[in-house]
Amino acid sequence: MNRQVPLTEMTESTDPQDLDGQPLLARRDALSRLGRYTAAGLVLPAGLGALPALAAENEDDTYDQDSVLKAATDFFGETTEGLAKVIEKAFKEQGRPNAYIKGQEAGGAVTVGLRYGEGDLLMKHGGAAKVYWAGPSIGFDIGGNASKVFTLVYKLPKPSAIYRRFPGVDGSLYYIGGAGINYQRANGITLAPIRLGVGLRAGASVGYIHYRREKTINPF
């Protein structure tokens, strides 16, 4: 015969149990740890799930796809089916960016190439910085170009974190309808430069790009 435990007895017990048979003190400790994870902005442990408030906070710090497409269209001065598709691909593979760079670059290559550029970094939460970049590329690469570049930036903790070398992700070049995108990655930060036009060079995803605070002719 099952005995019903009065509420007063349950609360006053030295090791009270909840309805699942788990000690309430353990539940309180788990909730306390969950609060600390959330306050620190850390990834929640498996099984604890994502809090709606935390998801909303992340969305406030990142750009949605429509906003990025509009910003890129305004920047390039035109919209193409290819531009929409490469942005859609980036969102599908990388999620929502928390920053982007609007800039211009020039480069050329015969097997070994060089690329120079400059632009403005803008973060969703308000940070901004001037950025210069240069770098070599090696591979099946021939031609030259001078073009605008719209770069999506993922998981950038602060503007100054952009100033480093970003190796290209081999095989990541994607080109469709006059628009191209490839990925560069370092220390958990991913960059996705988008370029338009016939000047796009096939070897853009091989090599690395060094982003700096000041302009230089040194590509390394």
Side-chain angles (χ1 to χ4, degrees), residues 8 21 25 30 40 46-47 50 53 68 80 93 102 107 127 130 133 135 148 153 156 170 173 200 207:
T8 53
L25 291 177
V68 167
T80 66
E93 294 180 347
K102 297 188 294 184
K130 187 70 177 179
W133 62 89
K148 292 182 175 181
V153 183
L156 185 72
D170 192 15
L173 179 67
L200 181 71

Side-chain angles (χ1 to χ4, degrees), residues 63-73 87 91 96:
Y63 293 97
D64 61 72
Q65 187 170 330
D66 290 340
S67 297
V68 167
L69 180 57
K70 183 180 184 308
T73 300
I87 289 176
F91 270 78
R96 295 165 60 115

Side-chain angles (χ1 to χ4, degrees), residues 8-136:
T8 53
E9 182 180 339
M10 180 181 293
T11 358
E12 293 173 0
S13 169
T14 57
D15 188 20
Q17 306 286 315
D18 66 7
L19 295 178
D20 296 327
Q22 182 178 359
L24 290 177
L25 291 177
R27 278 291 181 91
R28 291 193 188 108
D29 179 65
L31 289 173
S32 175
R33 285 188 288 110
L34 178 60
R36 292 197 298 272
Y37 282 124
T38 304
L42 300 176
V43 177
L44 298 180
L48 290 180
L51 296 178
L54 183 58
E57 180 182 350
N58 287 341
E59 288 186 0
D60 289 341
D61 288 339
T62 56
Y63 293 97
D64 61 72
Q65 187 170 330
D66 290 340
S67 297
V68 167
L69 180 57
K70 183 180 184 308
T73 300
D74 291 344
F75 175 65
F76 287 117
E78 62 178 308
T79 182
T80 66
E81 183 181 358
L83 178 60
K85 284 186 178 297
V86 296
I87 289 176
E88 179 182 1
K89 177 181 175 66
F91 270 78
K92 187 175 298 184
E93 294 180 347
Q94 304 296 328
R96 295 165 60 115
N98 69 331
Y100 57 74
I101 301 171
K102 297 188 294 184
Q104 302 183 45
E105 67 177 20
V110 178
T111 304
V112 177
L114 297 176
R115 185 183 298 276
Y116 295 91
E118 64 179 83
D120 297 297
L121 169 73
L122 180 65
M123 298 191 70
K124 180 62 162 59
H125 63 57
K130 187 70 177 179
V131 183
Y132 300 91
W133 62 89

